[in-house]
């Protein structure tokens, strides 16, 4: 992904999340957190510091518009920190050194596992920070599972559309 295209995706995903997806709730639980697609799709050769800066900026922008002080930024930075390990564990051995993670480069099953693991890390951290308690553990777990499923559904749909181009 080139710099200009990366900035366009950044702005588009922040606006989409803030203006549309933050208002989508199924039974007050399932909210798609599609903005993490940006972190998952950045080229594999980006340095960890740059990736964490992009993730912090993304989470901070979402936090500013969502009135969630630091929660999205913290969860996004955690995902960015874990992403190199996720990529190493989910790519095929014969894959090129530099690639953009996706169905084309990784195959559907590897990308699905990569996206599922990354989404679970991000959503788990975000929902636990939001709840800040394990008193209502069933509600917390239901919230995590529903948010992960909604987010993963959005990511897979967009990835399938982008793959056909």
């Amino acid at each position: 992904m080139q710099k200009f295209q990366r900035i366009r995706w950044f702005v588009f995903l922040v606006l989409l999340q803030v203006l549309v997806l933050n208002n989508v709730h199924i039974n007050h639980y399932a909210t798609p957190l599609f903005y993490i697609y940006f972190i998952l799709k950045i080229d594999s050769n980006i340095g960890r510091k740059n990736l964490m800066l992009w993730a912090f900026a993304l989470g901070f922008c979402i936090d500013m518009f969502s009135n969630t002080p630091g929660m999205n930024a913290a969860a996004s930075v955690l995902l960015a920190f874990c992403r190199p390990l996720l990529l190493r564990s989910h790519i095929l051995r014969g894959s090129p050194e530099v690639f953009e993670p996706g169905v084309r480069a990784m195959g559907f099953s590897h990308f699905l596992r990569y996206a599922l693991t990354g989404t679970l890390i991000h959503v788990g951290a975000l929902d636990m920070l939001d709840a800040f308690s394990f008193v209502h553990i069933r509600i917390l777990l239901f919230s995590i599972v529903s948010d992960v499923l909604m987010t993963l559904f959005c990511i897979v749909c967009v990835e399938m559309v982008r793959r056909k181009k």
Side-chain angles (χ1 to χ4, degrees):
M1 209 180 321
Q2 296 171 348
K3 236 180 201 182
F4 183 68
Q5 184 180 10
R6 192 178 294 163
I7 292 170
R8 280 192 350 215
W9 263 103
F10 183 94
V11 171
F12 171 74
L13 289 174
V14 167
L15 291 175
L16 178 69
Q17 185 68 43
V18 169
L19 298 176
V20 178
L21 297 177
N22 278 355
N23 298 314
V24 174
H25 306 289
I26 298 174
N27 264 354
H28 301 289
Y29 288 104
T31 303
L33 302 169
F34 185 65
Y35 66 93
I36 67 170
Y37 185 66
F38 180 83
I39 300 167
L40 294 173
K41 287 292 286 185
I42 288 182
D43 297 336
S44 65
N45 67 336
I46 189 168
R48 184 174 267 181
K49 290 177 187 175
N50 285 335
L51 180 62
M52 290 175 71
L53 283 172
W54 276 105
F56 176 77
L58 181 67
F60 185 71
C61 288
I62 300 295
D63 284 331
M64 282 184 13
F65 292 111
S66 303
N67 199 23
T68 54
M71 293 188 328
N72 289 290
S76 296
V77 168
L78 176 65
L79 174 58
F81 182 78
C82 295
R83 183 178 170 258
L85 177 64
L86 292 176
L87 272 179
R88 277 195 304 274
S89 64
H90 291 294
I91 61 172
L92 298 171
R93 295 290 173 219
S95 297
E97 189 71 26
V98 177
F99 65 96
E100 180 180 309
V103 172
R104 276 188 196 158
M106 300 172 73
F108 183 77
S109 64
H110 288 281
F111 178 75
L112 183 63
R113 283 186 284 162
Y114 163 70
L116 175 65
T117 309
T119 304
L120 191 58
I121 288 169
H122 183 273
V123 170
L126 183 63
D127 284 355
M128 281 191 263
L129 284 171
D130 187 34
F132 208 68
S133 169
F134 293 114
V135 173
H136 303 288
I137 191 75
R138 286 187 180 147
I139 294 172
L140 176 63
L141 290 176
F142 182 73
S143 177
I144 290 171
V145 168
S146 62
D147 288 351
V148 165
L149 290 176
M150 284 292 292
T151 303
L152 197 60
F153 176 75
C154 292
I155 288 172
V156 168
C157 287
V158 169
E159 192 62 27
M160 288 292 118
V161 168
R162 287 187 75 199
R163 185 181 93 172
K164 293 183 182 195
K165 286 186 178 182

